[in-house]
Amino acid sequence: MIPDLVSLSGSPWKVLPAGVHQATLEEVKAVYAASRYRRQLFEGLVVGVKQLSVAGCQRVYVDGSFVTSKPRPGDFDACWDPSGVQERLLDPIFKDFSNGRAAQKAAFKGEFFPSSLIEGGCGQAFVDFFQVDRFSGDAKGILLIDLSTDPTLGRSAV
């Protein structure tokens, strides 16, 4: 279940409380895809998640203004766990960070980073970088989607 958003001093909109919160794609849709524009962002997220799932990805973390109370988020930010991913099945777009990740933004309306990739500005892995509010510097939450069991993907754990 996705927890209620919380206010952080210095942050312009509400965010997820600190921690990693597991959610299904349907829950993400129900909570965050409330407008036509937000539904478009969500649909792009699903396209990317499905492609990652085909390559063997088991976990995707979702962040960005999409999972806040910002009325019109710029996009979503996500990072994917590379454990178990078969490189030969991974679409090269997931490793294309050129031109400000233009190809990813065009294909998905958001960005995907390997969760273990180090963010250049702070020296943290993206999965950790995503858990810090950029305005206040305080801890905030992210969503975890378990691709191995998500009903939207039509698979279940064995």
Side-chain angles (χ1 to χ4, degrees), residues 56-69:
C57 182
Q58 299 292 304
R59 287 173 294 286
V60 171
Y61 301 89
V62 183
D63 183 44
S65 57
F66 181 69
V67 294
T68 71
S69 65

Side-chain angles (χ1 to χ4, degrees), residues 67-85:
V67 294
T68 71
S69 65
K70 185 175 183 179
R72 187 172 170 90
D75 63 2
F76 65 83
D77 297 308
C79 61
W80 50 277
D81 185 345
S83 303
V85 172

Side-chain angles (χ1 to χ4, degrees), residues 6-7 16 21 24 29 33 41-42 47 51-52 64 80-81 83 96 102 121 128-129 140:
V6 297
S7 296
L16 287 163
H21 309 283
T24 65
K29 180 180 181 181
L41 294 178
F42 174 76
V47 169
Q51 288 183 21
L52 286 165
W80 50 277
D81 185 345
S83 303
D96 181 358
D128 299 319
F129 171 70
K140 68 173 184 64

Side-chain angles (χ1 to χ4, degrees), residues 29 32-46 66 109:
K29 180 180 181 181
Y32 296 109
S35 69
R36 182 173 178 258
Y37 177 72
R38 280 179 162 273
R39 278 189 299 280
Q40 291 172 342
L41 294 178
F42 174 76
E43 289 165 6
L45 173 68
V46 171
F66 181 69
K109 299 179 180 24

